[in-house]
């Protein structure tokens, strides 16, 4: 894969994330699809990754695997006509996804809470 193909793939992911955001607000999208969309979009926009990007190879592996997998699942759970409509809107839109400092704070709180829960769950196992 050359640089141009990689840039096109990244632009497609960005468009799909925007289309998913639009789909999350669509009234005909099923609740399960909306929940998965919220998780995928939040993860895509989150400043905190499951595996930090500074770790060689593995840092970008989660972005290369988890995001496309989440996008694929969300698309499969919604009606095809809604997905096509949202894709078209995202392609024509010149606006960026909304930024919200409160949403950023909530994402960070969720990640910290998950890290604390994992530590509390693992701590007794490590002391054995």
């Amino acid at each position: 894969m050359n640089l141009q193909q990689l840039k096109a793939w990244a632009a497609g992911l960005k468009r799909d994330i925007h289309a998913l955001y639009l789909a999350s607000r669509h009234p005909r999208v099923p609740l399960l699809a909306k929940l998965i969309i919220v998780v995928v979009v939040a993860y895509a926009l989150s400043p905190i990754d499951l595996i930090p990007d500074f770790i060689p190879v593995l840092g970008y592996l989660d972005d290369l695997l988890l995001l496309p997998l989440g996008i694929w699942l969300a698309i499969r759970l919604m009606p095809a006509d809604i997905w096509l409509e949202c894709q078209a809107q995202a392609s024509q839109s010149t606006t960026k996804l909304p930024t919200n400092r409160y949403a950023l704070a909530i994402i960070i709180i969720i990640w910290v809470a998950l890290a604390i829960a994992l530590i509390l769950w693992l701590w007794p196992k490590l002391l054995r």
Side-chain angles (χ1 to χ4, degrees):
M1 183 178 270
N2 64 31
L3 185 60
Q4 293 296 5
Q5 291 172 322
L6 192 58
K7 284 182 180 182
W9 181 76
L13 267 181
K14 190 174 181 180
R15 185 199 67 236
D16 287 347
I17 293 297
H18 192 159
L20 283 177
Y21 169 76
L22 296 172
S24 73
R25 309 181 100 198
H26 199 287
R28 287 186 34 226
V29 172
L31 181 60
L32 179 60
K34 284 185 180 187
L35 291 174
I36 291 172
I37 289 168
V38 167
V39 169
V40 170
V41 172
Y43 185 76
L45 300 178
S46 173
I48 302 170
D49 282 343
L50 191 59
I51 302 170
D53 289 343
F54 63 82
I55 298 174
V57 180
L58 292 177
Y60 292 106
L61 194 57
D62 65 334
D63 293 332
L64 294 173
L65 294 176
L66 292 179
L67 277 178
L69 184 62
I71 291 169
W72 174 83
L73 182 59
I75 291 168
R76 295 296 173 249
L77 292 174
M78 75 174 79
D81 62 320
I82 294 173
W83 175 243
L84 293 174
E85 174 187 326
C86 292
Q87 262 190 319
Q89 286 177 1
S91 293
Q92 295 171 356
S93 177
T94 57
T95 60
K96 292 184 176 183
L97 287 172
T99 56
N100 187 331
R101 290 185 183 188
Y102 295 115
L104 174 63
I106 289 170
I107 290 169
I108 291 172
I109 289 169
I110 289 170
W111 277 111
V112 169
L114 287 172
I116 290 170
L118 181 65
I119 290 168
L120 291 175
W121 180 69
L122 286 176
W123 191 256
K125 292 171 179 23
L126 294 174
L127 293 178
R128 290 185 199 170

